[in-house]
Amino acid sequence: MKILKWLDEHFEEYVLSGLLIVIAVVMMLQVIMRYVFNASLSWAEEASRYAFVWSALISIGYTIKENSILKVDTLVEALPVGLKHLMLTLINVSVTLFFGFLFYHSIPAIQRVIRTGQTSPALKIPLGWVYFAAIAGFFLATLRSLQKTRRDMRATISKKEA
């Protein structure tokens, strides 16, 4: 259980940090190779692009977990307390359903890519691994949205009881 708790609290942070390190190291290596040795790497741009795609999709769940996802809440903040809690619950459920929908529909899309057997031009890795970022990212976003909905509902219930 300790491992699951640690993963719940830190998984995205470590994945995103690792991807940022990959991007920085690969780009620095490319700069050194190009300007010091006058020979550029054919795979560096592609590796950085794929790491960026993964980080963009994984970061959705992280921003939901940290409650730092971009949102405009002017209308919600102007509502009376009871209606505000109802609206926040509806928004949380809508976000969860949206990312659940994207997760559900990303699976067959990625399966089609895998069946084609395509590989990336420079790295020669299966494109299914690159596109799997959509499944992972939307799954994490759905999971974190569910957690946020549950957390917000518990906070609302405990405020009413107090």
Side-chain angles (χ1 to χ4, degrees):
M1 289 309 273
K2 209 173 192 181
I3 292 172
L4 289 177
K5 184 174 172 29
W6 184 89
L7 280 172
D8 182 48
E9 292 173 0
H10 302 290
F11 177 73
E12 290 101 332
E13 293 172 27
Y14 281 91
V15 170
L16 291 169
S17 297
L19 289 167
L20 182 61
I21 289 168
V22 166
I23 293 169
V25 167
V26 168
M27 286 291 93
M28 182 59 72
L29 184 61
Q30 174 71 331
V31 168
I32 291 169
M33 290 299 293
R34 180 174 289 165
Y35 293 108
V36 175
F37 298 107
N38 203 24
S40 72
L41 303 169
S42 62
W43 53 268
E45 184 269 334
E46 189 174 284
S48 292
R49 182 178 348 119
Y50 295 156
F52 180 75
V53 167
W54 269 86
S55 68
L57 288 163
I58 297 297
S59 68
I60 299 169
Y62 181 71
T63 59
I64 292 170
K65 181 184 89 166
E66 295 296 319
N67 202 25
S68 62
I69 195 163
L70 185 60
K71 58 188 172 196
V72 179
D73 58 356
T74 307
L75 175 65
V76 174
E77 291 299 323
L79 294 173
V81 176
L83 200 53
K84 178 180 176 180
H85 291 302
L86 176 65
M87 184 64 94
L88 287 174
T89 302
L90 289 173
I91 290 169
N92 286 338
V93 169
S94 298
V95 168
T96 303
L97 290 173
F98 174 71
F99 285 120
F101 175 84
L102 291 175
F103 168 68
Y104 178 78
H105 287 285
S106 67
I107 294 171
I110 305 322
Q111 287 173 335
R112 285 191 298 274
V113 170
I114 291 170
R115 278 195 298 270
T116 66
Q118 286 182 299
T119 58
S120 67
L123 293 171
K124 301 296 183 207
I125 59 172
L127 283 181
W129 286 107
V130 176
Y131 285 82
F132 188 75
I135 294 174
F138 294 141
F139 172 76
L140 284 171
T142 304
L143 177 68
R144 296 306 185 182
S145 293
L146 281 169
Q147 290 174 333
K148 182 176 179 351
T149 302
R150 189 181 81 206
R151 188 174 55 241
D152 289 353
M153 288 177 82
R154 283 184 177 172
T156 301
I157 290 169
S158 65
K159 282 181 185 177
K160 286 181 182 179
E161 291 175 356

